[in-house]
Amino acid sequence: ETAQNIESVKTTLGINGPSILSELSSIDFPRSFPLGFLHLVLLNVAPNLVDIFTGGRIPNKNEPYYISPERWEQLWGELAKSTAMLPAVFGSCFRDLAKHKDWIAEDWLNFLLYAARPLFGSVYTTPETKPYLDLWELLITAVEDCLSHSIRRTVVNDIRERFARFVEQYEE
């Protein structure tokens, strides 16, 4: 049965042995291949944070970071009005936050780059909630740096440090 499963995987996935790239001494599997930014940040971290901050994942109405559905609806209404003024070069229009489960990576990228700062900046305005605004800022700044056409080695270290601080602050 194991041999049959292996043959099935080979046929289905087109894998029939180690990659010829593994023969190259300059390639170190898996370190030579970066993790998928799209999947890690845009389709995982961002939507999960929104779910957590809006109570979609865990009951948290008594937490200082909680944003009620009514407040989200109000914020999203304001954002939707402003969408008509955005040049197309910035990407597609913002889609309804209530339907964020259907968002694709481009939607989350636009949200992080163009909507998250003003939205969260208008919600997290007290000393008690500033750490949550700072958390979003760390994530957004790291994402912006990752999107640069040219990244210096020092910036790579900055990005690494920002993501590490983001994880540390999130876990607090």
Side-chain angles (χ1 to χ4, degrees), residues 2-21:
T2 304
Q4 189 176 18
N5 286 344
I6 291 172
E7 287 305 313
S8 174
V9 169
K10 285 181 180 180
T11 304
T12 305
L13 301 177
I15 299 171
N16 59 10
S19 169
I20 194 165
L21 296 175

Side-chain angles (χ1 to χ4, degrees), residues 41 45-46 48-54 64-67 111-112 116-117 120-121 124 126-144 159 161-172:
V41 176
V45 174
N48 283 324
L49 276 180
V50 167
D51 279 348
I52 290 167
F53 282 45
T54 59
Y65 58 79
Y66 176 72
I67 302 171
F111 175 77
L112 287 174
R117 279 188 179 110
F120 297 122
Y124 301 126
T126 66
E128 181 184 29
T129 58
K130 185 173 182 327
Y132 307 107
L133 182 60
D134 293 343
L135 183 70
W136 280 103
E137 184 62 30
L138 274 173
L139 179 63
I140 294 164
T141 305
V143 166
E144 289 171 336
I159 292 168
E161 288 174 15
R162 276 194 202 100
F163 277 122
R165 280 198 328 255
F166 170 83
V167 170
E168 289 168 1
Q169 287 182 20
Y170 171 78
E171 289 178 345
E172 289 175 2

Side-chain angles (χ1 to χ4, degrees), residues 2-163:
T2 304
Q4 189 176 18
N5 286 344
I6 291 172
E7 287 305 313
S8 174
V9 169
K10 285 181 180 180
T11 304
T12 305
L13 301 177
I15 299 171
N16 59 10
S19 169
I20 194 165
L21 296 175
S22 65
E23 300 291 323
L24 299 173
S25 62
S26 61
I27 294 182
D28 178 21
F29 283 88
R31 293 186 62 197
S32 294
F33 302 94
L35 297 172
F37 174 78
L38 175 144
H39 292 97
L40 287 175
V41 176
L42 301 179
L43 296 177
N44 186 344
V45 174
N48 283 324
L49 276 180
V50 167
D51 279 348
I52 290 167
F53 282 45
T54 59
R57 275 204 176 272
I58 53 175
N60 58 10
K61 290 182 181 179
N62 297 324
E63 298 294 336
Y65 58 79
Y66 176 72
I67 302 171
S68 71
E70 297 80 22
R71 181 72 170 130
W72 265 120
E73 190 174 316
Q74 176 195 4
L75 292 168
W76 212 251
E78 293 169 12
L79 183 64
K81 289 178 196 171
S82 69
T83 297
M85 295 186 249
L86 286 176
V89 72
F90 290 116
S92 62
C93 295
F94 294 113
R95 294 174 54 191
D96 185 357
L97 183 63
K99 299 177 182 172
H100 73 274
K101 300 280 187 208
D102 299 328
W103 283 14
I104 60 174
E106 181 185 13
D107 297 321
W108 285 109
L109 182 61
N110 286 338
F111 175 77
L112 287 174
L113 296 179
Y114 309 117
R117 279 188 179 110
L119 286 179
F120 297 122
S122 69
V123 172
Y124 301 126
T125 58
T126 66
E128 181 184 29
T129 58
K130 185 173 182 327
Y132 307 107
L133 182 60
D134 293 343
L135 183 70
W136 280 103
E137 184 62 30
L138 274 173
L139 179 63
I140 294 164
T141 305
V143 166
E144 289 171 336
D145 285 345
C146 287
L147 296 173
S148 296
H149 292 288
S150 172
I151 303 176
R152 295 174 187 245
R153 192 170 301 278
T154 57
V155 175
V156 171
N157 290 333
D158 291 344
I159 292 168
R160 184 178 292 121
E161 288 174 15
R162 276 194 202 100
F163 277 122

